[in-house]
Amino acid sequence: GNVLGNYILILAGGKLLPTCFLAMLLSILLGMGLPCTGVYIVMATIVAPALVRLNVPIVAAHLFCFYFGIMASITPPVAIAAYAGAGIAKTNPMTTAVEACKLGFAGFMVPFAFCYNPAMMMQGSVGEIISVAISAIIGVAIMSAGFQGWLLWKLNWLERIVFIAGGLLMFIPGTLTDIAGLVIAAALLLVNVKK
C-alpha cells in the first residue's frame, strides 16, 4: 500500500494538483468492481496517505479517495452500476456507462474542491461554508449544462465550452474566480433568453 502512495508522490513531484489527479486515477482503477466497504478499506490504506502527506486534511483526503472509488461504479469498462441499470432498462451496458459518465462528469470535479477548500468539508466560518456551498452548487449546475448540452435551450459547442469554463472557475477557490464564472454564465444565459 505505501509503495503505490509513494509512487504517486514521486510521479507528481510533491505538487497537490498532479497528486490529486493521480490519486483520482488510482482510486477509480482500484475501486472497479468493489463494494462500498471494500472501496473505503482499499482507498484508506493505499491512496489517502499520499494526500495526507501533502497536508490535505484527513477527512478530505479520505473522502476524496472514497468518492472516486465509488465513481468507479459508473466508469467504463467495469461500471457495475451501469451494467445493473442497463439490465433493468434492457439497453447496451457500455452505452449506459458512457451516458452515466456524461451525466456524472461534473461530479468528478467536486472532490478536488475538498482538497483545495476546507470549507467544502464544513471546516471554517459559517460565511465561508455558505459561500463555498453556493459556489459549488452553481458551478456543478453550470458545468452539467455544458456537458449535457442543454439549459433552457439546446446549447451549441461554443456555449457548451463557455458553460464548462464558467463552472470550472466556480470550483477554483477565491471570490474573484467565483464572480468571473458567475458573470460568464449569467451573460450567456441572458443572451440566450433574449433569443
Side-chain angles (χ1 to χ4, degrees):
N2 285 334
V3 172
L4 283 174
N6 288 335
Y7 280 135
I8 288 173
L9 290 170
I10 291 167
L11 286 172
K15 295 187 173 44
L16 185 57
L17 184 60
T19 302
C20 287
F21 185 75
L22 291 173
M24 172 192 76
L25 294 177
L26 188 60
S27 296
I28 290 172
L29 181 69
L30 294 175
M32 289 183 177
L34 290 177
C36 294
T37 308
V39 166
Y40 179 69
I41 292 168
V42 170
M43 299 310 132
T45 57
I46 295 175
V47 184
L51 294 173
V52 171
R53 282 187 215 140
L54 291 178
N55 297 323
V56 173
I58 293 174
V59 173
H62 282 250
L63 191 56
F64 178 93
C65 299
F66 180 62
Y67 193 106
F68 279 118
I70 295 300
M71 290 296 269
S73 65
I74 64 166
T75 308
V78 177
I80 56 174
Y83 270 75
I88 294 167
K90 310 244 188 299
T91 61
N92 181 328
M94 196 52 65
T95 304
T96 305
V98 170
E99 286 299 315
C101 279
K102 282 170 52 180
L103 286 169
F105 192 79
F108 282 89
M109 300 297 138
V110 172
F112 286 93
F114 298 161
C115 293
Y116 280 97
N117 203 334
M120 278 292 280
M121 302 300 302
M122 302 291 207
Q123 296 174 348
S125 70
V126 175
E128 290 174 334
I129 293 168
I130 291 171
S131 171
V132 167
I134 291 170
S135 174
I137 290 168
I138 294 171
V140 166
I142 293 169
M143 203 179 315
S144 295
F147 281 113
Q148 286 303 303
W150 185 264
L151 180 71
L152 306 176
W153 68 93
K154 186 168 174 42
L155 302 173
N156 63 37
W157 281 103
L158 180 61
E159 292 170 333
R160 290 176 80 167
I161 291 168
V162 170
F163 269 125
I164 291 169
L168 284 172
L169 283 171
M170 302 277 306
F171 272 100
I172 297 171
T175 307
L176 187 60
T177 55
D178 289 349
I179 291 170
L182 197 56
V183 166
I184 289 170
L188 185 59
L189 188 63
L190 288 174
V191 166
N192 280 280
V193 165
K194 286 184 179 179
K195 287 182 184 178

